[in-house]
Amino acid sequence: MAARGPGRLLLLLGLAAALCLPRAAQPPPGAFQAGLGAASLPAAAAARRRYLLYDVNPPEGFNLRRDVYIRVASLLKTLLKSEAWILVLPPWGRLYHWQSPDIHQVRIPWSEFFDLPSLNKNIPVIEYEQFLAESGGPFIEQVYVLQSYAEGWKEGTWEEKIDERPCIDQLMYSKDKHEYYRGWFWGYEETRGLNVSCLSVQGSASIIAPVLLKNTSARSVMLDRAENLLHDHYGGRDYWNTRRSMVFAEHLRVVGDEFRRKYLHSTDEADRTDYNEDWTLMKVKLGTAVGGPYLGVHLRRKDFIWGHREDVPSLHGAVKKIRSLMERHKFKRVFIATDAIVEETEELKKLLPEMVRFEPTWEELELYKDGGIAIIDQWICAHAR
């Protein structure tokens, strides 16, 4: 027979207290004690950590989301000076540029695109699925929707401030019959918010730290529209530590490296781009890297053309510039990363036979998804001379 330790006694007392509540007043299992799921009670009781979650405006793209992560990481570092917090990584999905049909592209964990051990060398992070397992249920205790000030910012001295205010825009959350808030929540339809309120904010990310430390006792707090927070110290040491920790997932880098070797005669040894898996130990002397013997081009089309018609060259104009650069640097190959439609791609091949592209098979596209293919493109472009 197992010994009746203090952990079991606490669990029984907790259950007894819950059973004494009127049925309508009972919270969802684990909702008010995130981290105290039955399976993880001993470890959670020792850690007592709090969970920080966030999301951004749905139309925002990959790079803005990556930039917001840096801002939120800075906030987490501020919180960690006072309490034990951990960042819950917002699952990926529904990005505008991810338009491949018949591919499931929601609820995508960060490990599909980034190396989690590298992220954890900078700040403590977990995937959303792990948060669900630890918290004992799909409930977020407090959701703060960040917004600007209704009166705007008037010219003059810049002032950082934050206040709880009435919501300016219509909330993207609605109450269900149990009085819980439903919302997008990264495609997790079962997730509910217990409380939702709006904060007008004007300032850097850490301005919200006092609110999280003093104004709420919620164990799980979500900051929606987190792009409204600015960088604490843009370009500073913490900024670059976080940026460097965002190492692309190894399985994507391996695909990119193999493509470089096979089609572009490019290897880390020949290009002097030796890589250390531990970003904290990677020291590179400026000017030592040579790069692969090819030109890397990011040729933006589609929505970029619509918004910059006067600034974007035609395909013929782009090819003319590419050829000029190839001749100047004596390159025989050019790698092109582009979102061009099929007709434009075919025209490019005719105008520029030297062009090389990473064209995934259906199986590769389904495995790596549009986001992974974009990262492979970036990795190959980044190694160009």
Side-chain angles (χ1 to χ4, degrees):
M1 179 180 291
R4 295 178 179 271
R8 174 171 293 187
L9 179 59
L10 285 172
L11 180 58
L12 290 173
L13 287 174
L15 289 172
L19 291 172
C20 290
L21 288 171
R23 183 171 184 82
Q26 288 189 32
F32 292 97
Q33 295 294 323
L36 297 188
S40 59
L41 180 61
R48 299 291 297 177
R49 65 186 180 187
R50 301 176 70 184
Y51 299 89
L52 179 64
L53 304 93
Y54 76 96
D55 202 359
V56 303
N57 193 21
E60 301 295 355
F62 185 88
N63 284 326
L64 186 280
R65 291 169 185 269
R66 184 165 60 175
D67 190 71
V68 172
Y69 171 84
I70 299 175
R71 306 177 208 179
V72 177
S74 183
L75 166 61
L76 192 83
K77 290 178 182 180
T78 299
L79 294 172
L80 286 170
K81 295 175 182 177
S82 301
E83 293 179 349
W85 285 77
I86 190 165
L87 181 62
V88 182
L89 299 167
W92 296 88
R94 277 192 179 177
L95 269 64
Y96 169 79
H97 291 99
W98 298 355
Q99 298 183 1
S100 293
D102 304 320
I103 295 179
H104 184 73
Q105 301 202 75
V106 293
R107 296 189 177 198
I108 303 174
W110 275 57
S111 58
E112 292 289 317
F113 301 142
F114 293 95
D115 182 67
L116 259 60
S118 294
L119 295 177
N120 270 293
K121 287 181 182 293
N122 182 54
I123 58 169
V125 301
I126 56 172
E127 298 276 22
Y128 186 69
E129 294 278 357
Q130 186 177 341
F131 164 73
L132 292 178
E134 290 186 9
S135 64
F139 300 96
I140 300 172
E141 293 180 39
Q142 177 65 58
V143 177
Y144 287 123
V145 180
L146 306 185
Q147 61 185 14
S148 58
Y149 280 83
E151 62 271 25
W153 173 60
K154 298 177 175 59
E155 290 186 12
T157 304
W158 172 259
E159 177 188 8
E160 293 209 340
K161 55 184 179 178
I162 183 168
D163 296 284
E164 186 166 345
R165 291 281 188 89
C167 300
I168 299 173
D169 299 320
Q170 182 178 352
L171 274 179
M172 301 302 290
Y173 300 91
S174 59
K175 282 188 176 182
D176 61 18
K177 62 182 180 180
H178 301 294
E179 295 295 304
Y180 302 137
Y181 287 92
R182 290 171 173 262
W184 161 238
F185 293 121
W186 314 284
Y188 285 80
E189 296 179 358
E190 65 275 20
T191 295
R192 300 287 186 273
L194 301 187
N195 297 284
V196 176
S197 55
C198 291
L199 295 176
S200 287
V201 60
Q202 179 177 289
S204 54
S206 290
I207 194 176
I208 202 172
V211 175
L212 304 183
L213 294 171
K214 299 175 182 178
N215 292 21
T216 177
S217 59
R219 299 294 304 283
S220 53
V221 182
M222 174 182 169
L223 304 178
D224 199 357
R225 298 299 302 271
E227 75 277 4
N228 283 292
L229 297 172
L230 304 178
H231 286 283
D232 278 343
H233 304 287
Y234 183 79
R237 181 175 181 179
D238 276 344
Y239 171 92
W240 283 112
N241 280 343
T242 300
R243 183 69 183 82
R244 293 180 64 209
S245 73
M246 301 183 77
V247 176
F248 288 141
E250 183 179 12
H251 64 276
L252 300 177
R253 291 185 278 119
V254 167
V255 173
D257 287 341
E258 176 59 21
F259 185 91
R260 289 166 51 212
R261 183 195 66 79
K262 188 173 182 179
Y263 297 103
L264 296 167
H265 304 294
S266 169
T267 64
D268 284 344
E269 294 76 13
D271 304 345
R272 298 181 188 174
T273 53
D274 294 329
Y275 189 77
N276 192 320
E277 289 295 333
D278 186 345
W279 64 269
T280 65
L281 301 178
M282 190 165 178
K283 309 293 182 183
V284 179
K285 188 177 180 181
L286 190 64
T288 56
V290 176
Y294 60 95
L295 178 67
V297 174
H298 180 201
L299 186 61
R300 296 188 64 176
R301 308 299 292 171
K302 287 188 178 177
D303 63 312
F304 193 73
I305 297 177
W306 308 333
H308 304 78
R309 290 187 182 277
E310 297 180 358
D311 304 319
V312 179
S314 64
L315 286 182
H316 285 267
V319 169
K320 182 178 179 181
K321 182 63 177 179
I322 290 171
R323 285 204 177 280
S324 172
L325 290 170
M326 292 178 68
E327 290 173 3
R328 183 192 308 174
H329 297 284
K330 297 180 173 56
F331 290 140
K332 295 182 179 179
R333 295 177 180 82
V334 53
F335 177 81
I336 294 184
T338 183
D339 62 345
I341 59 176
V342 175
E343 291 79 6
E344 289 183 323
T345 302
E346 293 303 316
E347 184 178 355
L348 270 174
K349 290 179 179 178
K350 294 176 182 178
L351 296 172
L352 196 64
E354 305 94 328
M355 179 182 77
V356 178
R357 292 182 66 228
F358 180 77
E359 301 180 89
T361 63
W362 171 255
E363 290 75 18
E364 288 173 326
L365 184 57
E366 192 172 29
L367 178 62
Y368 304 133
K369 305 189 173 28
D370 286 329
I373 301 303
I375 288 173
I376 293 170
D377 275 347
Q378 286 186 51
W379 187 253
I380 297 171
C381 276
H383 284 80
R385 187 169 301 170

